[in-house]
Amino acid sequence: EAAVTQSPRNKVTVTGGNVTLSCRQTNSHNYMYWYRQDTGHGLRLIHYSYGAGNLQIGDVPDGYKATRTTQEDFFLLLELASPSQTSLYFCASSEGQGASDYTFGSGTRLLVI
Amino acid sequence: QQQVRQSPQSLTVWEGGTTVLTCSYEDSTFNYFPWYQQFPGEGPALLISILSVSDKKEDGRFTTFFNKREKKLSLHIIDSQPGDSATYFCAASLNNAGAKLTFGGGTRLTVRP
């Protein structure tokens, strides 16, 4: 079954710490996305990619890096984590051709203390 | 500035009642409008979507309405059930390759038995 799998499910780190969130999709989709979800703000796009080696900047990119190593794998990196990055992070994939459905993972809850 | 606004932020209805969620958007070039449903502990999943060439789309108990002139859309749920309790996101994008979705802030719906 096609899916988007995120890891870890939960993560706690200290301020200034280094965090990598992982995402793998088996949908054969071209596009992958990283969103953060915060109450009152909905889902906000951090970075996205349309293929291996490609990276596009989203709407809230500050403090985040991302890398798409393969068609299947997309990583979100927080190199100097701050408490403001405490959030629920979602990865998604889509075909990217016109009005196409996004398939979301189950999320990673990150706490920066 | 939020490009997609959703209201209300939270809503409680009785089982069997009709739920109405609303959404407005800024960018008049948007022409694809999906609604996503998210249960606790899960990622959002596509519920129903509409293109700007239509003013209504129905799927079982769920109907979405689109008003191009007022740049508004709504989601109606008839015979609301406790299992419909979830967070609902409207979203908008262009209907072309690589277009990214912009999400509203979400509405948390509770349906009481």
Side-chain angles (χ1 to χ4, degrees):
Chain A
E1 182 180 315
V4 177
T5 303
Q6 292 182 237
S7 62
R9 193 66 195 262
N10 294 282
K11 177 74 177 178
V12 180
T13 191
V14 297
T15 299
N18 198 321
V19 177
T20 298
L21 307 185
S22 303
C23 178
R24 167 165 284 196
Q25 57 104 356
T26 57
N27 304 324
S28 299
H29 285 164
N30 292 320
Y31 282 73
M32 295 185 74
Y33 312 82
W34 277 108
Y35 283 88
R36 61 177 289 173
Q37 182 178 357
D38 305 285
T39 302
H41 290 96
L43 292 152
R44 292 181 290 175
L45 182 63
I46 303 170
H47 291 299
Y48 64 107
S49 164
Y50 56 72
N54 175 264
L55 181 65
Q56 302 293 315
I57 294 173
D59 300 320
V60 289
D62 292 348
Y64 302 96
K65 293 184 179 178
T67 181
R68 179 91 175 269
T69 55
T70 65
Q71 175 83 349
E72 294 78 22
D73 298 300
F74 195 29
F75 300 93
L76 185 67
L77 297 83
L78 292 73
E79 294 184 333
L80 287 170
S82 73
S84 65
Q85 294 176 308
T86 292
S87 187
L88 180 57
Y89 291 88
F90 285 101
C91 176
S93 71
S94 78
E95 290 180 352
Q97 298 301 315
S100 56
D101 181 19
Y102 281 26
T103 302
F104 283 85
S106 297
T108 294
R109 190 169 292 279
L110 175 66
L111 174 63
V112 183
I113 57 176
Chain B
Q1 183 186 14
Q2 263 192 320
Q3 288 204 49
V4 178
R5 290 192 179 86
Q6 233 178 301
S7 62
Q9 195 165 2
S10 64
L11 179 65
T12 300
V13 301
W14 292 106
E15 182 176 357
T18 297
T19 298
V20 180
L21 310 180
T22 62
C23 201
S24 63
Y25 63 96
E26 302 282 335
D27 190 336
S28 57
T29 63
F30 286 154
N31 54 11
Y32 170 61
F33 304 92
W35 288 88
Y36 280 76
Q37 180 187 52
Q38 182 184 31
F39 295 108
E42 299 180 9
L46 181 68
L47 178 65
I48 192 170
S49 64
I50 192 167
L51 292 169
S52 59
V53 293
S54 303
D55 56 12
K56 176 182 174 181
K57 187 171 181 183
E58 194 172 332
D59 184 358
R61 296 185 295 106
F62 300 88
T63 302
T64 183
F65 295 90
F66 175 67
N67 185 320
K68 186 172 185 176
R69 182 178 61 82
E70 295 186 10
K71 293 195 283 187
K72 288 183 178 178
L73 55 154
S74 62
L75 177 68
H76 293 230
I77 308 172
I78 62 170
D79 188 25
S80 300
Q81 299 296 309
D84 297 333
S85 297
T87 299
Y88 293 81
F89 294 99
C90 64
S93 79
L94 294 171
N95 181 24
N96 59 14
K100 51 188 174 72
L101 286 173
T102 298
F103 286 85
T107 296
R108 175 178 263 179
L109 172 66
T110 302
V111 181
R112 296 206 185 279

